[in-house]
Amino acid sequence: VRIYEVHLHQTTEPSTRLGLVERLAELTEHRRVDQIAAFHWWGQAVREQPDSERAGDELERLARATHSWEELEKVYGDVLEKATTDEVRRTALLKLGRVFEEELRDPDRAEQAYLGVLEITELDPDALRALDRLYTSRGAFAELAAILRKRLAVEASTADVVALHFRLGALFEEALEEPEEAIGSYQAIL
């Protein structure tokens, strides 16, 4: 392990560094049987190469195994701070949103992460579905209506469009008590 660490400190080429960090993570987890240290190495890999699918998957696997959700949040926060492209920001925000929503049970922070995605891409289907789920569970009906309208703009499947119009109609009819809006949504199904 020490040899790889020395080599890592002497290397600046990104793909070589990623390979070394991945090897360090593997050795740390499987030879030293230290999942916490392996999590640290995979975290470094994600910080250096946030678009590495393998590093992201391994990091989340170890976060689950070690219950290191707050540390995972810090890794994604670091990625966001250093992000140079909208795609890296989008992916980090979606992952953060999922961690807040599913692992840390913090719907407010999850909402902020998903809304951050919409600041990058206003009609991002993944963020819209996540906000739909959050607002439905919270009973945030006005916000849900706005999200359902946005989802209608991006859904391609006729069945999904019909289902969204039906949900929107029911929402206006039952929760928001706006019969004209409900009628408009139901008529769009016809």
Side-chain angles (χ1 to χ4, degrees), residues 4 12 34 54-55 105 135 154:
Y4 286 104
T12 58
D34 186 346
R54 178 176 182 225
R105 306 281 188 232
Y135 293 150
V154 296

Side-chain angles (χ1 to χ4, degrees), residues 46-47 49-52 73 75-98 100 109-121 124 126-127:
V46 167
R47 285 179 178 102
Q49 295 286 322
D51 55 349
S52 169
E73 173 192 348
V75 171
Y76 290 147
D78 291 345
V79 168
L80 276 171
E81 284 181 23
K82 296 176 184 174
T84 57
T85 68
D86 283 345
E87 185 56 30
V88 169
R89 275 189 283 285
R90 175 193 174 273
T91 301
L93 284 166
L94 285 171
K95 288 180 177 185
L96 260 176
R98 189 200 67 74
F100 289 138
R109 291 171 72 194
E111 176 186 22
Q112 292 309 308
Y114 295 137
L115 289 172
V117 174
L118 296 184
E119 290 175 12
I120 297 167
T121 305
D124 185 281
D126 295 323

Side-chain angles (χ1 to χ4, degrees), residues 121-176:
T121 305
E122 184 180 358
L123 297 175
D124 185 281
D126 295 323
L128 291 173
R129 277 191 297 278
L131 287 166
D132 179 344
R133 192 174 51 250
L134 277 175
Y135 293 150
T136 298
S137 69
R138 289 171 139 179
F141 301 124
E143 294 86 351
L144 178 58
I147 291 300
L148 291 177
R149 283 187 167 138
K150 287 182 179 184
R151 285 195 63 199
L152 281 166
V154 296
E155 289 296 338
S157 158
T158 303
D160 290 340
V161 169
V162 168
L164 287 170
H165 274 296
F166 186 78
R167 284 182 62 207
L168 193 56
L171 185 64
F172 280 123
E173 180 182 3
E174 298 165 12
L176 297 173

Side-chain angles (χ1 to χ4, degrees), residues 1-11 16-17 19-21 23-25 27-28 31-32 41:
V1 171
R2 185 72 186 126
I3 293 170
Y4 286 104
E5 289 175 340
V6 169
H7 190 57
L8 178 66
H9 291 296
Q10 297 173 348
T11 303
T16 302
R17 286 185 60 79
L20 289 169
V21 172
R23 186 68 183 135
L24 281 162
L27 288 171
T28 303
R31 293 257 172 102
R32 289 190 173 171
W41 285 116

